[in-house]
Amino acid sequence: MDTYLSWPVELVEGSGATVTDSEGRTYIDLVAGIAVASVGHSHPSVVDAIAEQARRLMHTSNLYPTSPALVLAEKLHALTGMRSFFCNSGAEAIEAALKLVRRWTQREKGRSATIACTTGSFHGRTFGALAATGQESKQVPFVPMLEGFVHVPFGEVDALAQAGSFDAFLVEPIQGESGIVIPDEKYLSEVRALCDERGALLVLDEVQTGLGRTGRWFAHEWSGVKPDVMCLAKALGGGLPIGACLARPGVASAFQPGDHGTTFGGGPIQAAAANAVLEVIEREGLVERAGRLGTFLLSELTSAFGAVATVRGRGLMLAIEFEAPVARALAASAFERGVLVNDIGTSILRLTPPLVIDEDQLRRAVSILREAWDETRAAA
Ligand SMILES: Cc1ncc(COP(=O)(O)O)c(C=O)c1O
């Protein structure tokens, strides 16, 4: 169906931070499958883990636990102290979080939950995630929305304080799909304090920001807070579909057998891939690398575009915002010159390269983006 505005290309191979099309042209990839290929395309350790697991056992359903999923739950527990529910996408991780919040609210407060969310947010396309997503344009074609959600402006703790009664606050530490919107440094800690005061859960959507992308394992570490519930997906499977809804034990226990489930979630191949991804992130120091290269890229972009656009980012999650609606034309020109970059809305370019990209590739990519800008401007 016509759900995507796809580029006119067939990508057939990928390695590290580059992909190659069916005509043999190679591109520096600043998209990474939208923040998925963090360890690089077809990382040998991930490929080996998938192949080995596929030869042994591909699927059991969650009626029969498998060791890759248990190991993955243990690894995530070691990183976060949280328990995991595995599913197949970011949207499903959000659905699990929303159901967990409702179940917890019934148990703790004996009523149905109100979940506060933010304007400009993006949480996915399924009905729960869509009701949480603070973008009218995405919701209006599919009304009526699910009940039990209120929206407050992102980045404004006072607005949340005035939102009336809420049982959970769902928020991205940095808004990704809206164009890398970074709130004030104190926002998350103030929000955490407000949730505690109100007896509400803090639910963080780290689907895009998680697993090293911002230069910390999880973006909330920048503000020193701990969430009650956290959603992961994207980078977790190295390209295979897997999502995870994590919760601290006292909240996770609200789910009882039969409350939630999925046939494929946490299947042995996806979990084996995720275990390999976590090992690669650790072994190759990719969290620290994302922070270091992010600082480098921010400075290169600021030199190239600071006079004509707003440049912002944290770690390897960056955006260039122009005043004019040039994003698609710029992305198209960059594509012709061998760089993949994601245009958002009409005036923003989003950069979420693989964390394994190197300085030389980033330098070349920025110089190509600058050429693309010069061409686009000349044509205007
Ligand atoms: C912050 C955030 N949450 C949730 C989602 C939904 O994830 P998925 O597309 O895997 O359903 C996305 C996807 O872009 C996202 O960026």
Side-chain angles (χ1 to χ4, degrees):
M1 298 187 194
D2 291 335
T3 49
Y4 303 104
L5 263 185
S6 308
W7 289 93
V9 68
E10 187 197 359
L11 300 177
V12 293
E13 265 178 44
S15 170
T18 60
V19 286
T20 306
D21 71 16
S22 54
E23 283 164 18
R25 294 188 63 208
T26 293
Y27 304 80
I28 299 175
D29 184 5
L30 301 183
V31 181
I34 319 192
V36 166
S38 284
V39 298
H41 290 281
S42 296
H43 192 293
S45 301
V46 180
V47 172
D48 287 349
I50 293 170
E52 197 182 311
Q53 186 59 46
R55 273 192 291 269
R56 276 163 169 271
L57 183 64
M58 293 188 12
H59 178 75
T60 64
S61 87
N62 285 296
L63 297 178
Y64 310 98
T66 62
S67 133
L70 294 173
V71 170
L72 180 57
E74 276 163 18
K75 280 183 198 285
L76 290 172
H77 184 267
L79 283 170
T80 64
M82 294 169 129
R83 298 182 65 195
S84 294
F85 170 84
F86 296 126
C87 49
N88 310 286
S89 66
E92 275 186 55
I94 296 290
E95 295 295 329
L98 298 176
K99 284 182 73 176
L100 184 63
V101 164
R102 285 190 169 190
R103 200 77 179 90
W104 177 85
T105 306
Q106 279 171 358
R107 186 185 74 181
E108 297 296 314
K109 307 182 182 179
R111 57 176 159 83
S112 50
T114 298
I115 302 178
C117 311
T118 62
T119 52
S121 59
F122 184 81
H123 300 294
R125 308 286 189 156
T126 50
F127 268 111
L130 187 61
T133 290
Q135 298 186 48
E136 242 179 56
S137 62
K138 300 225 163 34
Q139 293 184 338
V140 166
F142 304 103
V143 291
M145 287 291 113
L146 205 62
E147 288 174 8
F149 295 85
V150 294
H151 288 88
V152 297
F154 180 65
E156 296 179 26
V157 73
D158 290 346
L160 180 62
Q162 286 155 21
S165 157
F166 62 94
D167 303 295
F169 180 51
L170 167 62
V171 67
E172 296 157 83
I174 295 173
Q175 289 188 334
E177 300 296 309
S178 290
I180 318 298
V181 186
I182 307 174
D184 184 80
E185 237 175 66
K186 293 203 210 95
Y187 180 54
L188 275 193
S189 53
E190 289 175 352
V191 152
R192 173 74 270 180
L194 185 64
C195 286
D196 290 344
E197 199 184 299
R198 299 284 180 92
L201 300 176
L202 176 60
V203 183
L204 292 184
D205 181 345
E206 292 244 20
V207 164
Q208 191 164 151
T209 51
L211 301 168
R213 167 96 9 224
T214 69
R216 294 276 196 277
W217 268 102
F218 304 104
H220 64 261
E221 290 170 35
W222 286 100
S223 46
V225 304
K226 282 198 187 329
D228 300 299
V229 181
M230 172 166 71
C231 296
L232 299 176
K234 291 213 182 262
L236 186 57
L240 290 200
I242 180 167
C245 170
L246 284 71
R248 63 177 170 78
V251 176
S253 62
F255 268 165
Q256 292 296 305
D259 275 344
H260 195 46
T262 151
T263 300
F264 292 112
I269 300 183
Q270 303 90 293
N275 284 324
V277 164
L278 296 180
E279 276 158 31
V280 169
I281 292 177
E282 225 156 58
R283 192 172 66 233
E284 299 187 8
L286 296 186
V287 178
E288 180 274 333
R289 186 185 176 95
R292 184 166 41 81
L293 288 183
T295 305
F296 172 75
L297 180 54
L298 189 65
S299 130
E300 291 285 301
L301 288 172
T302 305
S303 309
F305 291 100
V308 295
T310 306
V311 177
R312 56 180 175 260
R314 177 157 294 163
L316 284 174
M317 188 173 178
L318 304 97
I320 318 172
E321 179 161 8
F322 297 88
E323 275 170 21
V326 292
R328 189 71 183 177
L330 253 167
S333 169
F335 172 77
E336 289 303 324
R337 293 162 195 273
V339 167
L340 301 186
V341 66
N342 181 220
D343 54 303
I344 305 188
T346 56
S347 57
I348 300 176
L349 293 182
R350 170 173 53 173
L351 291 73
T352 54
L355 310 186
V356 295
I357 199 163
D358 63 35
E359 284 191 7
D360 191 43
Q361 288 170 318
L362 288 174
R363 221 179 265 116
R364 272 192 290 142
V366 172
S367 127
I368 288 173
L369 287 176
R370 178 65 214 203
E371 280 169 33
W373 161 253
D374 291 337
E375 180 194 73
T376 307
R377 197 173 39 171

